[in-house]
C-alpha cells in the first residue's frame, strides 16, 4: 500500500460521503443496547459494517487496488469517520486495525498479505497488536526496550512465551501481530487468532469503551509460530514498529478531532437553546468564550495534523513531527471536550449525549501511543542533541 492518493478535492468528496453515512446511519447506533462497557458487540460491528459495505465505504482510506490515500487525504476522511465514536469501527478506520493494515501493506510479502491483510481490508476480520506488557512485571510500556516476552527458534518454528497487557481488540480478533525478543533483539510475528497458546486472562475495565474486544491482559504460553510468519528478520521488530508508529499517532489525532467537532456541535446547540439568568447561555461571556476557545483549539489541532501529514507524505519518517502533533492535539482536544462538558453543566456529565463519552475517550488519548511526558522527554533529548551538534568543534 503506497500513498499514491486521489487528490485533495476527491478526498473531500469522499469525506462528504463518509460524513453523511456517519450522521445518518451510524449515529443512531449510539443508543444501541449492544454497545457495552468493553465496546460494541461483534453482532453490532457486523451490522454497522454491512451498512458501510452497502454504501461502498468500507475501509475508505485504502483504494480497491491496495494503494493508500496520502496522509493529508487520510486526515480529511478519518476526521469525518470520527464524528461518531462508532464511525471508525463501522468504516474500518479504527485502531488498531488501521495501523496494522498500514504496516502489513508496507512490509508483508504477497502470501502474508493474502492470508492476513485481505480479511482486514474487507472488514471481515479484526486484529490485535501485542506489544505492551504488565507494569507489575516491569514489562514493556512507553519504553519498548523493556520487553520481556521471549521467542526462541525451534526448527522451522519460533516458540513465544510471555504476558501482554492493554491489548486492544484482542477478544474476537482473528489476526495478531505479536512482538517478542530473541537473542538478536525484537521480532514481529503474524499469528492466527484465536490460538489456545494465547489465553485472555481478563478484559480490563478502562475509561474508554468504544473499541470492540476491549483491552486485554493476555498470557502467551509456548505459542508455536512458523518461521515464515515472522515479519522480516530476527531482531528487526523495532524497525518495523517505527513504520507503523508515526502514521498511527497521526490517525488518532484525525479520528478524535472528528469526535470533538461533534462534541462542539452538541455543546453549541445546548448553549444556544438553554436559558439562564434571562438569556441563552451562549450570551454569557463565560460560556461563549469557552466555545470560542474550542474553535481555536480545533483549528490548531487540524493545522498541526495536516503539517505532520505533509511531512510524512514528503517521505520523512516524521518521528519528531508526530510526537509534536500527538502532544499538541491530544491536549488541545482534551481541553475542547472538557469545555463542552462544562458548557453543558449537569447534562454534560450524563450519558444523555455523546459528550461525556468523548471526554473519556479523549482523556485516554493523552496516554495512548505514548503519554505526553514521554514525547516531551524525547523532544527535549533531540533539542540537546541538536544543540550539541551546532557547537563549534573544540581546538
Amino acid at each position: 500500500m503506497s500513498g499514491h492518493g486521489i487528490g485533495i478535492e476527491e478526498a473531500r468528496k469522499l469525506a462528504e460521503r463518509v460524513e453523511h453515512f456517519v450522521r445518518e446511519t451510524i449515529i443512531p447506533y449510539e443508543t444501541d443496547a449492544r454497545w457495552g462497557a468493553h465496546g460494541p458487540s461483534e453482532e453490532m460491528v457486523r451490522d454497522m459494517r454491512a451498512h458501510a459495505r452497502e454504501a461502498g465505504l468500507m475501509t475508505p482510506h485504502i483504494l480497491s487496488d491496495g494503494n493508500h490515500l496520502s496522509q493529508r487525504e487520510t486526515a480529511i476522511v478519518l476526521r469525518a469517520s470520527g464524528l461518531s465514536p462508532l464511525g471508525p469501527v463501522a468504516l474500518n478506520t479504527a485502531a488498531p486495525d488501521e495501523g496494522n493494515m498500514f504496516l502489513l501493506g508496507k512490509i508483508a510479502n504477497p502470501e502474508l498479505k493474502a492470508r492476513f491483510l485481505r480479511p482486514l481490508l474487507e472488514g471481515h476480520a479484526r486484529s490485535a497488536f501485542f506489544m505492551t506488557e504488565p507494569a507489575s512485571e516491569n514489562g514493556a510500556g512507553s519504553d519498548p526496550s523493556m520487553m520481556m516476552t521471549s521467542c526462541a527458534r525451534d526448527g522451522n518454528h519460533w516458540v513465544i512465551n510471555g504476558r501482554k497487557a492493554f491489548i486492544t481488540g484482542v477478544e474476537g480478533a482473528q489476526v495478531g501481530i505479536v512482538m517478542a525478543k530473541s537473542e538478536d533483539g525484537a521480532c514481529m510475528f503474524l499469528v492466527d487468532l484465536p490460538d489456545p497458546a494465547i489465553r485472555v486472562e481478563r478484559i480490563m475495565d478502562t475509561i474508554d469503551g468504544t473499541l470492540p474486544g476491549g483491552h486485554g491482559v493476555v498470557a502467551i504460553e509456548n505459542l508455536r509460530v512458523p518461521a515464515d510468519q515472522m515479519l522480516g528478520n530476527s531482531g528487526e521488530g523495532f524497525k518495523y514498529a517505527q513504520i507503523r508508529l508515526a502514521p498511527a499517532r497521526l490517525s488518532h489525532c484525525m479520528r478524535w478531532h472528528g469526535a470533538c467537532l461533534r462534541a462542539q456541535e452538541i455543546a453549541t446547540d445546548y448553549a444556544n437553546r438553554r436559558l439562564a439568568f434571562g438569556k441563552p447561555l451562549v450570551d454569557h461571556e463565560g460560556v461563549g468564550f469557552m466555545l470560542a476557545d474550542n474553535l481555536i483549539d480545533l483549528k490548531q489541532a487540524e493545522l498541526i495534523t495536516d503539517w505532520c501529514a505533509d511531512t510524512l507524505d514528503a517521505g520523512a519518517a516524521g518521528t519528531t513531527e508526530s510526537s509534536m502533533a500527538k502532544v499538541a492535539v491530544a491536549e488541545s482536544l482534551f481541553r475542547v471536550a472538557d469545555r463542552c462538558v462544562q458548557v453543558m453543566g449537569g447534562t454534560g456529565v450524563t450519558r444523555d449525549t455523546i459528550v461525556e463519552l468523548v471526554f473519556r475517550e479523549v482523556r485516554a488519548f493523552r496516554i495512548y501511543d505514548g503519554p505526553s511526558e514521554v514525547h516531551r522527554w524525547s523532544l527535549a533529548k533531540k533539542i540537546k542533541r541538536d544543540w550539541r551538534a551546532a557547537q563549534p568543534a573544540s581546538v
Side-chain angles (χ1 to χ4, degrees):
M1 290 187 299
S2 56
H4 292 305
I6 57 176
I8 295 297
E9 287 307 313
E10 288 301 313
R12 289 194 178 114
K13 292 177 184 177
L14 176 57
E16 288 175 3
R17 292 176 56 209
V18 167
E19 177 174 348
H20 178 79
F21 173 77
V22 172
R23 290 189 185 276
E24 297 299 317
T25 304
I26 299 305
I27 284 177
Y29 277 95
E30 291 173 355
T31 56
D32 195 304
R34 294 173 295 175
W35 186 2
H38 298 140
S41 70
E42 298 298 333
E43 178 187 44
M44 184 174 166
V45 173
R46 285 194 298 271
D47 284 357
M48 293 190 297
R49 289 189 173 182
H51 289 303
R53 209 169 279 116
E54 183 180 358
L57 291 173
M58 177 59 60
T59 324
H61 60 295
I62 299 176
L63 305 177
S64 58
D65 62 3
N67 284 314
H68 201 288
L69 298 189
S70 71
Q71 287 295 314
R72 184 66 176 275
E73 295 160 1
T74 298
I76 297 170
V77 174
L78 262 61
R79 284 186 193 115
S81 77
L83 286 166
S84 167
L86 293 172
V89 176
L91 290 155
N92 203 24
T93 64
D97 294 333
E98 183 268 334
N100 291 341
M101 288 187 288
F102 182 87
L103 174 66
L104 296 182
K106 290 288 187 183
I107 67 173
N109 63 38
E111 291 76 20
L112 292 177
K113 285 182 181 178
R115 180 175 165 191
F116 293 100
L117 177 57
R118 179 53 53 186
L120 295 178
L121 292 174
E122 294 172 347
H124 294 304
R126 293 191 296 99
S127 61
F129 192 84
F130 296 75
M131 187 184 77
T132 319
E133 297 171 337
S136 60
E137 298 171 18
N138 213 27
S142 297
D143 182 358
S145 68
M146 295 168 63
M147 187 174 300
M148 299 180 70
T149 300
S150 66
C151 59
R153 188 74 183 252
D154 181 22
N156 63 350
H157 284 73
W158 287 81
V159 179
I160 303 173
N161 284 280
R163 294 181 75 237
K164 298 289 186 178
F166 302 103
I167 307 307
T168 303
V170 64
E171 196 163 74
Q174 291 83 39
V175 175
I177 301 176
V178 177
M179 291 199 70
K181 202 176 214 177
S182 72
E183 293 180 351
D184 304 313
C187 303
M188 195 177 283
F189 300 88
L190 276 169
V191 300
D192 291 299
L193 297 175
D195 188 295
I198 300 177
R199 179 168 49 86
V200 179
E201 295 183 341
R202 65 187 176 100
I203 299 299
M204 310 169 87
D205 292 320
T206 58
I207 195 171
D208 61 343
T210 296
L211 298 174
H215 308 284
V217 177
V218 178
I220 303 175
E221 300 167 348
N222 295 319
L223 172 66
R224 295 183 64 83
V225 183
D228 60 6
Q229 288 175 213
M230 176 185 281
L231 290 170
N233 299 311
S234 179
E236 294 181 337
F238 286 149
K239 180 178 77 172
Y240 293 131
Q242 291 296 316
I243 293 173
R244 186 185 187 276
L245 187 64
R249 288 173 181 165
L250 204 58
S251 57
H252 278 319
C253 298
M254 301 167 189
R255 290 184 294 260
W256 273 313
H257 190 278
C260 285
L261 279 172
R262 172 95 177 289
Q264 173 78 345
E265 291 174 1
I266 295 170
T268 297
D269 182 73
Y270 183 91
N272 277 278
R273 294 178 184 275
R274 180 74 163 113
L275 300 177
F277 305 102
K279 56 185 176 181
L281 283 178
V282 71
D283 289 336
H284 295 278
E285 284 188 351
V287 174
F289 282 12
M290 282 192 282
L291 294 173
D293 285 338
N294 278 359
L295 285 183
I296 295 168
D297 272 334
L298 285 166
K299 179 53 68 173
Q300 289 177 333
E302 175 188 338
L303 293 174
I304 197 169
T305 300
D306 287 349
W307 163 73
C308 183
D310 286 341
T311 301
L312 295 176
D313 286 337
T319 304
T320 296
E321 292 83 357
S322 65
S323 278
M324 293 168 66
K326 197 275 178 182
V327 171
V329 174
E331 295 189 355
S332 63
L333 293 185
F334 178 72
R335 292 192 296 269
V336 170
D338 183 60
R339 292 189 197 108
C340 288
V341 170
Q342 193 72 14
V343 164
M344 296 175 67
T347 301
V349 299
T350 71
R351 296 184 182 175
D352 289 354
T353 76
I354 206 72
V355 169
E356 177 268 347
L357 174 64
V358 171
F359 173 82
R360 288 188 285 114
E361 293 283 325
V362 176
R363 181 59 186 87
F365 181 27
R366 290 172 59 196
I367 301 294
Y368 295 165
D369 269 27
S372 297
E373 294 72 22
V374 171
H375 289 289
R376 286 189 168 98
W377 173 69
S378 176
L379 290 167
K381 288 201 301 179
K382 182 182 185 305
I383 291 168
K384 183 177 181 179
R385 286 196 306 270
D386 290 350
W387 177 83
R388 283 182 169 175
Q391 301 309 300
S394 58
V395 294

